[in-house]
Amino acid sequence: MKDKLPNIKEYLKGCARTNLIHRFDISTISYFFGRWIPFAFAVGIVTGSIASLMDVIIVNLNDFLASNPPLLLLYPILVAVLVGYALTVDPSVGGPGIGYAILHLKTKVYLPIRSVILKLITSTLVLSGGFIAGREGPSFYIGVAIGEWFGKAYGLNKKYKSLLGLIGGGAFTGALLKAPLGSAIFAMELEEMYNLDYRPFVPMIIASIVSYLTFSFFRGESAFIYLTKNPEWSLQIIPYIVVMGLVISVLIYLYTFVFHTASCTSKYFSSKDRPLIGTALALPFLLILYLTTHDVDFLSTPAHMGIISKLAQIPFPILVDIVVILCVIIVTSFTLSFGIPGGIILPNLLIGAAVGNMFGHIFPDQIVVFTLAGMGAALAAGAKTPLAAIVMITEMTHADVVIPMTAAIITSYTTSFGFCLYLGQEMKLKPMAGEKSGNSKE
């Protein structure tokens, strides 16, 4: 019996050896708090300050233009000419910006200061009115540059360049879209696509929150998409939400085809003439949109998102919704793909909101849920950022419709594999787990 008793001393020694593996790594913790956290705070303060200045100019210039609709319709021509001259200096400042930034993150060079200044000036003018363009394209591009520069000045190794750029891009976008958490996830999903890596999440979210708080200190705290109605939903709308997600997936595929076709066509023109030609082609459709809706907010959406707030709460005639969808696809394909700087999130949100507005006619008392779910579904299908879509729409609206939105997003995202709006993501599209990829050694 004595021989069968366990050797307590040996067991204790084994436990001690095991516990030696699990201990506080003081050196790593100290390095993280001593290097990355101060860096994230610094990037957040700088990006939030610049974003607030950019927002002041956009809103005030838009107020001036919106008071005179004919001027608001002619303003894009002047901006297109200026953008054309900017493209002769540096072609990278044109278009959405995110596609270029994604590819740039993989290089060893830093974005030139001249390019960032040109991007800041031209995109601020574009977002002030007359165009349908999102804020996230310029903000991500500029934020990437700020993150890289600060990392270089901070003495961080060049091997971290991609991470430094993502921190800056997420922080700047979080401020301008008033969605810090969603923008940090958005930056990671853009970079990683199907292979999301959460290791850089802490410094990214810290930088985004600090940037948002800095922006709010100067510009005040309010929802990016203002809602007066509280969203209410019931289980009976879920099948319709799923069908809506499928419809949005088809529309985003159509949008992707038209957008990339226009982008290829634009190459036949010189960089200087491209923005003016694209804007001239888009103006008739902008005029149709204005005459159909009799609402100048369509031409001021980047400044205050007023028309999206209306689409989210007021039933529009279905014909108007159709006109909105078609005009957004055509206008942004002729402008953004022809070199006008601006993001693709806003066009996606408008398309999703218009489809949601159409489906909202089935359950008028739940139209808010349909439009918010539609916006999330369009963003997830177009940018391949499903998790960010859920968080960003929630942060932008301060409304909780996560369950129906998730149903729409799952549908649109899973039926949209193989195509995306951001040109920089085309090289990153790959099979899902379990399938062979081009980089496989098999």
Side-chain angles (χ1 to χ4, degrees):
M1 290 293 292
K2 221 173 190 185
D3 294 333
K4 294 180 181 180
L5 289 174
N7 191 323
I8 301 300
K9 288 184 178 181
E10 290 299 322
Y11 273 101
L12 291 176
K13 287 180 180 179
C15 290
R17 283 193 297 267
T18 302
N19 287 330
L20 285 174
I21 300 173
H22 303 284
R23 65 186 187 278
F24 285 106
D25 188 345
I26 301 300
S27 61
T28 302
I29 294 172
S30 300
Y31 181 82
F32 184 81
F33 279 95
R35 298 281 282 180
W36 286 105
I37 301 302
F39 170 79
F41 268 87
V43 169
I45 292 171
V46 172
T47 54
S49 300
I50 298 175
S52 62
L53 175 62
M54 189 175 175
D55 185 67
V56 167
I57 298 172
I58 290 171
V59 172
N60 284 279
L61 184 54
N62 177 258
D63 289 342
F64 170 74
L65 294 170
S67 62
N68 191 342
L71 179 61
L72 189 58
L73 285 169
L74 293 175
Y75 173 75
I77 296 293
L78 174 61
V79 174
V81 173
L82 295 175
V83 170
Y85 280 104
L87 292 182
T88 61
V89 178
D90 187 350
S92 75
V93 304
I98 283 185
Y100 180 85
I102 292 172
L103 296 176
H104 165 79
L105 287 170
K106 298 301 182 183
T107 68
K108 297 297 183 182
V109 298
Y110 294 88
L111 282 170
I113 295 177
R114 180 185 65 179
S115 302
V116 177
I117 293 174
L118 284 173
K119 187 75 168 183
L120 179 64
I121 294 172
T122 55
S123 58
T124 300
L125 293 174
V126 167
L127 296 175
S128 296
F131 293 96
I132 300 174
R135 295 183 171 198
E136 92 292 344
S139 66
F140 192 82
Y141 180 103
I142 297 168
V144 164
I146 293 174
E148 291 178 349
W149 294 342
F150 263 78
K152 185 177 181 180
Y154 209 65
L156 289 168
N157 195 295
K158 212 168 190 178
K159 69 179 181 180
Y160 296 116
K161 177 181 165 294
S162 178
L163 171 57
L164 300 172
L166 283 178
I167 291 173
F172 207 119
T173 305
L176 271 185
L177 296 185
K178 299 182 180 180
L181 179 58
S183 295
I185 299 172
F186 179 75
M188 290 194 301
E189 287 188 307
L190 278 175
E191 170 66 8
E192 297 296 335
M193 295 255 333
Y194 302 136
N195 300 315
L196 193 58
D197 183 0
Y198 280 94
R199 286 176 295 180
F201 182 69
V202 172
M204 289 184 71
I205 190 58
I206 290 175
S208 293
I209 290 175
V210 172
S211 181
Y212 170 71
L213 293 176
T214 304
F215 181 88
S216 299
F217 175 79
F218 290 110
R219 300 296 292 146
E221 186 178 359
S222 61
F224 192 50
I225 301 174
Y226 182 70
L227 299 178
T228 57
K229 292 183 178 180
N230 292 322
E232 298 178 359
W233 64 278
S234 58
L235 287 175
Q236 62 181 332
I237 72 169
I238 297 299
Y240 298 93
I241 290 283
V242 171
V243 173
M244 183 183 70
L246 183 59
V247 170
I248 288 173
S249 177
V250 174
L251 286 174
I252 296 301
Y253 174 76
L254 173 65
Y255 185 22
T256 303
F257 176 80
V258 174
F259 188 89
H260 291 328
T261 301
S263 181
C264 292
T265 304
S266 70
K267 302 298 188 296
Y268 287 98
F269 306 101
S270 66
S271 297
K272 182 180 178 182
D273 297 333
R274 203 176 295 157
L276 182 59
I277 293 172
T279 301
L281 292 172
L283 274 179
F285 296 95
L286 279 171
L287 184 61
I288 290 172
L289 191 57
Y290 174 68
L291 293 177
T292 302
T293 60
H294 301 288
D295 197 332
V296 75
D297 277 352
F298 268 108
L299 305 177
S300 305
T301 306
H304 53 65
M305 305 292 281
I307 195 61
I308 291 185
S309 297
K310 294 176 182 177
L311 281 169
Q313 301 171 95
I314 303 170
F316 281 47
I318 292 179
L319 180 60
V320 173
D321 288 325
I322 294 173
V323 170
V324 169
I325 294 168
L326 295 177
C327 284
V328 167
I329 291 174
I330 295 171
V331 167
T332 55
S333 295
F334 278 140
T335 53
L336 302 184
S337 65
F338 271 67
I340 296 296
I344 303 178
I345 280 185
L346 176 57
N348 276 299
L349 295 184
L350 277 169
I351 292 170
V355 175
N357 195 279
M358 293 170 62
F359 274 82
H361 284 272
I362 305 172
F363 297 93
D365 58 326
Q366 301 182 59
I367 188 171
V368 177
V369 178
F370 276 98
T371 50
L372 298 190
M375 287 189 279
L379 177 55
K384 297 297 174 287
T385 54
L387 182 57
I390 296 172
V391 181
M392 288 180 80
I393 300 302
T394 302
E395 288 184 305
M396 287 179 183
T397 60
H398 295 181
D400 181 11
V401 291
V402 171
I403 294 176
M405 192 193 307
T406 301
I409 286 173
I410 289 174
T411 305
S412 68
Y413 177 68
T414 55
T415 56
S416 65
F417 289 149
F419 64 89
C420 58
L421 280 166
Y422 292 122
L423 288 170
Q425 284 182 312
E426 286 183 331
M427 296 174 63
K428 298 174 74 62
L429 288 173
K430 60 188 74 174
M432 296 295 288
E435 299 180 15
K436 292 183 179 180
S437 65
N439 296 328
S440 175
K441 296 180 180 180
E442 298 177 4

